[in-house]
Amino acid sequence: MTAQYFAPVASPQHPRSAFVDRHIGPAPDETARMLAAIGYSGAEALIDDAVPAAIRTARPLNLPPALSESAALDRLRELASRNTVLTSMIGLGYHGTITPGVILRNVLENPGWYTAYTPYQPEISQGRLEALLNFQTVVSDLTGLPIANASMLDEGTAAAEAMALAHRVSRRASRHAAAGAFLVDADALPQTIEVVRTRAVPLGIEVVTADLSGGLPEGDFFGVLVQYPGASGAVRDLEPVTARAHERGAQVVVAADLLALTLLRPPGEWGADIVVGSAQRFGVPYGFGGPHAGYMAVREGIQRQLPGRLVGVSVDADGAPAYRLALQTREQHIRREKATSNICTAQVLPAVMAAMYAVYHGPEGLAAIAQRVHRHAQALAAGLRRAPDVEIVHDRFFDTVLARVPGRAAGIVRRARDLGINLRPGDADHVAIACDETTTEDHLTAVWSAFGLDGPVPAEAEGDGFGALRRESPYLTHPVFHAHRSETAMLRYLRRLGDKDIALDRSMIPLGSCTMKLNATAEMEPITWPEFADIHPFAPLDQARGYLELIGELEDRLAEITGYAKVSVQPNAGSQGELAGLLAIRGYHASRGEEHRTVCLIPSSAHGTNAASAVMAGMRVVVVACDDGGNIDLDDLHAKIAEHGARLAAIMVTYPSTHGVFEETITQVCEAVHEAGGQVYVDGANLNALVGLARPGEFGSDVSHLNLHKTFCIPHGGGGPGVGPIGVREHLAPFLPTHPLRPEAGPGETAGNGVGPVSAAPWGSAGILPISWAYIAMMGPDGLRAATEGAIIAANYVAARLAPHYPILYTGRNGLVAHECIADLRKITKETGITAEDVAKRLIDYGFHAPTLSFPVAGTLMIEPTESEDLAELDRFCDAMIEIRREIQRVGDGGYDRDDNPLKNAPHTAECLVTEEWKHPYSREEAAYPLPSLRDGKYWPPVRRIDQAHGDRNLVCSCPPPEVFED
C-alpha cells in the first residue's frame, strides 16, 4: 500500500503542515502530474512495476509515529538535558575551544556552506576551494612541511594512512616489499595506536610499541610514529630519534598538536617526513568525538602519493588563477583497486571552520591563545608542586601536566568531578590535567583543591622552558591571515567566498549516487546546543546519558530500517563503513578457521571505493562482469565463484546498482555466494531507493554500510562530514568495531576476536547524529517510505522528460529506473564533438551544478533528483537540459561552430561578457541568458573553465601571493 502522503491534495483545509510534506518537494497534485508523465495513475502501481517483488519487505517499518518539528526538538532537548556538561581537562587529542560567533553562524549554521558538494566541479566551488587552500596553508606553515592535503577524517585514521604511506615509500625506495615493522611511540594517543593496529593487521604490517624516550629499540622498521607533545604531555626533543630512524631507512611520522606548533619548533624543521594530527582545537567543539578535521602534511618528493584530496592552483580559459582539486587520478573512482587510500569522505566543513579560525585570529592571535594555554599549565604545575605528596613528572610540557600521586589518583579525579572538572586518570598513581583555550583561574583553583591544596594562585613560572625547542620561524605570513581581524571584515570575507559557490540553498544538485537532498533546519539546530557540542568523548559516561540514549535509539531504528540485527555508528565516513564491514567479514572467517578466504568479488559497475576498501581489508579483488543492461552477469559470477569458491570471502554489491536500476537477480547473487561459503556486502550508498520498501538484511545481505550523509540527511558540507555506520546480521555482530577507551562502544560481551577501532572516537562523529535521529523521528514510518517513493517517482519523471532528447542508458523492468538515471552522450559526442563535460560546464551558465560526470560510464551524466525537489525545480533542470540539447543540435547542424560555441566555451563569467571585443560567433545574450528565466537571480561563475592539466604540471597547493591574481 502506498504511503498516505501522496493521497490528499493540498488545500486550505489540508495544508502541507507535517514535516514530511515539507521534506518531500512535490505537492500531491504535482506528484499526480509527474506520475501521469511517466504513464501511471498512482504511486503504488509505479513502485510495483519498478521494485522487484523478490526484494520487497513483507512488513511495514516498526518505528514510532512521526513527530512534528517542535515535538522532535522537545524530545532532543529532553535527551540533551540528560547530558552533563562539565569542564573537561582530559586532553588526549580533544580540547575545549571557543568557536568565534561569526564562524559559528556563517559557516557551521549556514546552508551555503553545509549543503555544498565535494568540489569536483571547481568552477562553481571557488569559495570552498579557497577556504580549503587556507586550511592547507595553515597546516603546511605550522608543521614546516611543503605540502598538506585538504583534511583527513580524524587524527587516528590520519596516522593509519601515514603508516600506509610510509610503507609505500619504503617499498618503492627498496624496489621490493618493505622490510620491518611500524614502530609506534608508547606516548602516542592510545586511540591512535589502536586505530593504527586495526589498519595494520589486514595489510600484514607488524606494529611494535616502545618507549622511545631512550632511543630506538633494535629491529628493522620501515616507519616510526612519535607524538609531539606526547599523550602524557611531555615535550621531547625528537630530532635525535628522527635522525637515527633515517639512518636505518625508516620514514618518520609525527602526530602533532597544531596549536602547540605555534610555540614549538615544527617537525619539518627537524626532519619529519609526514606530520598528522587534528585541527579540532581550532574552533571545532568536542561533539562527543567529532566530526573533527584530521590533517596530513608531507615532505617534498612524496606529495604525489599523499592520500585524500589536495587543492591546487591552476588557470582558467582566460589565464586567470583558479582553484581545483589536484592530482585527481588518486581518487578511488579512477584508480579503484590500485587506489592508495580510501578517503572518499574528508572533513571539509570542520576544515573550513578551522581554517577560518586561523584567518580570524591570525598568527599573533593563535600565538596568544597558545601562550595563555601554556601559562595556565605552568601555573597549574607550580601550584601542584606545593601540594603534599605530588610530583610533576615532566619538566617540559605545553598544555598537559602529569602528576604522580601514589595510590590517590581515583580519589583526586572523584573530588575534581564533584567540583565540576573532569581530569584524566592514568593509573592508580597518575593524574593528567590538560589546559585549553577555555581554561580559567577558577578551573585551576578547583583542580588544586581536588589535590588538597588551598590558597592563593601562585605566581606563574618565568619563561616557557622550551629552550632549543622554541619556535623561531614565522608562519601564516600570507595576507589572508592578516586582513580579516574585525568581525565586519570576516563576515564579508565569508559572504564573498560563499557567493562564488553553488550549494543546495541556490539550486538543486542533481548528482547521481550522491543524494543531495534537503537537510532541514530543524535537523541541524541541535548540533550546536552545548549539551551536545561540549561533551568530551572520554568524559565519564554518566555525563553522556542523553547521548547514549540517542545513539541507542538511532542504532535500533537503523537496524529496523535495514533488517539487520545490530548497527555500529563508529565509522565516520562511508569509506570507513566499508572497511569496518569487510573487517567484520574477515574476522568472521578467521573465527571459523578460514583465514584463507581472501577473495572479494566486485561487479564492474560498483563504486570505486569498494575495491579500495577491499584491498585495505587485505582482500584480493576479482571483478565480475556486467551485461549490456548494466546487471551482474550471472554466468560470469558463477564462473568466478567456481574458480575462487574455496577462497571466496565476500561479494560487494551496490543495490540498487550504480547504473540506477533494481537488478532482478540480486537474490540469486546472494544465494550463489552463500552456497560457496562467502558473505554478501550490500553497499548502502543507494539506500534512499529502499527505505520502507525493502531491507537488505532480509533479501540476502550480511552487512551494509549506510551513508547518513545521503539517505539520512546529514549534509555533505562540501565533502564531509559524513557518517557511515554498518549494519550486520547476528553472526557478524561480534566483529563490529571496538574501542580501547570505551568498551561500551563495541559489541560488548558478544565480541569475538574484535577488529579494533576504525575511528579515533568511540561513537565516531557523534556530534552530528542528532541530525539523522531528527530526520527519522519527524518522517516516521510512513514518511520514510513516502520519501523513497518520491525519489523513485522523481527519477523516472526526469528520465521520461529527458528520454526524447538524451538516451537513458540503463533501465530495469518495464523501462523504469530506480532513484537515478544515466543520460548517455556518447553517440551525441561522436556526431557533434560535444562531450558530457561540455554539458556539465554549460549547465553552470544555467545556474546548476552538473550531474555526476562520466561515472559509472565514461561519456555519461548520472542524474539523481531526490524526493526533496519540487516540480518547478525538476522542470527547471529538465528545461535546461533540453535547451542544451537544442544547442548541441545547432552544433551538429552547423549553426554553431564546432570549436567556438556556447558549450565549448562554457561557463561564461560576467567579466568575459563585458570585454570590449566579443570575438565569438554567438551573441553575449546566448552565452549568458539561454533561457529567459535566467534573468531573475542569475548565478555568475567566478572563473571560466579550468585547465586541469596545467595545475597538475605546476603543483601549487598553498595560498599563492596576491600578485598572482593581478591582471
Side-chain angles (χ1 to χ4, degrees), residues 635-651:
D635 290 338
D636 191 55
L637 173 67
H638 290 301
K640 296 292 170 58
I641 290 175
E643 181 181 356
H644 302 286
R647 298 184 300 278
L648 179 60
I651 187 170

Side-chain angles (χ1 to χ4, degrees), residues 495-507:
R495 174 62 185 264
R496 189 160 65 250
L497 293 186
D499 282 348
K500 295 180 179 181
D501 291 1
I502 289 181
L504 275 177
D505 65 331
R506 194 186 293 270
S507 72

Side-chain angles (χ1 to χ4, degrees), residues 110-131:
N110 183 347
W113 288 96
Y114 68 69
T115 68
Y117 183 60
T118 306
Y120 292 130
Q121 293 291 330
E123 293 84 359
I124 49 85
S125 308
Q126 291 295 292
R128 76 196 81 128
L129 284 167
E130 179 172 332

Side-chain angles (χ1 to χ4, degrees), residues 922-938:
Y922 56 93
S923 70
R924 301 174 201 250
E925 185 172 17
E926 287 175 285
Y929 299 112
L931 289 174
S933 59
L934 291 169
R935 294 184 179 276
D936 181 18
K938 165 77 174 177

